[in-house]
Amino acid sequence: MKRSFVVFSALVIAALSFSSCNKNLKDDIKDLQRENSEMKEKLNGIANALGTDEPITVTTSFKDRDNVDRSVKETYSFKSSGTSTQSMVKQPNGKYDIYVERFSDVNWNEYAWVAFTYDPATKAITNKRGGHSWDDYGNYNSNAYFNENDYSTGLTFTVNIKSIDLTTGVISMDVTMSGTAEFSNGYGGNVPNTNSAVTTSFSFDGKLRVYTQVNPA
């Protein structure tokens, strides 16, 4: 009888110990899940601040000075604070000036960008400018710039806005800038090769900062 009581007591103690350990394990798991969630939020915040969650992957195609086909494809992930690389500015006339840019590093030598004016009343897109600059030692200029206001002969500049929210600044768009050989010849050092057609294209999905331009009194 005494032996049975000892065995029973041991079992009870073991059961209580197991229950306590199991509770502690559950608490530890909950703590790890909470810490993991907090870490994800912090990493997402860092990614958003840097722009790495809204990168631009850009491709520029052309022929070099040896008439060899070239295609430069880069991904630029970084942005600056403020309006410098992401803005949607409402003008007094109701139109919006939109600017998007991403760059590779603090030197800011490699980047892709686009700027234009959007009229929500008519969906018209005007005043289009953009380009791609990279850094290498090929037998061509390491940049391709396009500006319909500066030089438009042989230029096809398309901005396809797939969705836009003028309140939050969220935008999704495809950008294609193409110039014929005539365009390149007339635009000089702004293109990789003045004797070659050139095309730069990229897509962007992200959130811009929304501002309202106020006319000075």
Side-chain angles (χ1 to χ4, degrees):
M1 181 72 178
K2 186 175 181 181
R3 182 179 179 186
S4 298
F5 177 76
V6 172
V7 171
F8 175 76
S9 299
L11 290 173
V12 170
I13 293 171
L16 290 173
S17 298
F18 177 79
S19 177
S20 176
C21 290
N22 189 45
K23 183 180 182 302
N24 290 338
L25 180 60
K26 288 181 178 179
D27 290 341
D28 289 343
I29 291 174
K30 287 182 180 179
D31 288 340
L32 287 173
Q33 289 175 333
R34 176 181 53 77
E35 292 174 2
N36 184 52
S37 178
E38 291 176 352
M39 181 60 70
K40 284 183 178 179
E41 289 182 7
K42 290 179 180 179
L43 290 175
N44 288 337
I46 293 171
N48 180 259
L50 294 175
T52 53
D53 60 338
E54 301 172 345
I56 287 177
T57 297
V58 58
T59 302
T60 296
S61 301
F62 55 92
K63 290 183 182 293
D64 66 17
R65 296 188 184 103
D66 292 326
N67 206 39
V68 175
D69 288 328
R70 297 281 188 172
S71 183
V72 178
K73 183 176 182 179
E74 301 285 350
T75 296
Y76 303 128
S77 300
F78 295 101
K79 65 183 179 182
S80 67
S81 60
T83 64
S84 299
T85 60
Q86 61 279 327
S87 62
M88 183 183 291
V89 184
K90 184 179 182 180
Q91 300 298 328
N93 60 9
K95 297 179 181 180
Y96 287 78
D97 289 333
I98 294 175
Y99 185 87
V100 180
E101 181 178 2
R102 292 293 183 268
F103 53 94
S104 63
D105 54 41
V106 293
N107 289 323
W108 215 319
N109 292 326
E110 299 184 296
Y111 51 85
W113 65 282
V114 67
F116 55 89
T117 299
Y118 174 70
D119 187 344
T122 64
K123 312 301 182 186
I125 298 172
T126 57
N127 194 29
K128 298 187 288 287
R129 299 96 66 207
H132 177 199
S133 180
W134 62 98
D135 192 12
D136 63 21
Y137 293 98
N139 59 343
Y140 45 78
N141 298 323
S142 299
N143 55 258
Y145 299 132
F146 308 84
N147 187 326
E148 66 178 12
N149 300 321
D150 285 349
Y151 192 79
S152 60
T153 301
L155 172 63
T156 301
F157 200 133
T158 303
V159 177
N160 176 31
I161 296 179
K162 295 181 289 185
S163 63
I164 185 170
D165 189 320
L166 300 176
T167 301
T168 64
V170 173
I171 187 171
S172 176
M173 61 182 170
D174 298 322
V175 179
T176 302
M177 303 166 277
S178 296
T180 63
E182 182 182 11
F183 167 82
S184 295
N185 186 259
Y187 214 32
N190 294 301
V191 294
N193 178 8
T194 56
N195 295 314
S196 168
V198 57
T199 296
T200 295
S201 61
F202 61 84
S203 297
F204 178 78
D205 293 276
K207 185 176 182 179
L208 310 181
R209 299 194 176 194
V210 182
Y211 300 90
T212 298
Q213 180 68 49
V214 179
N215 283 333

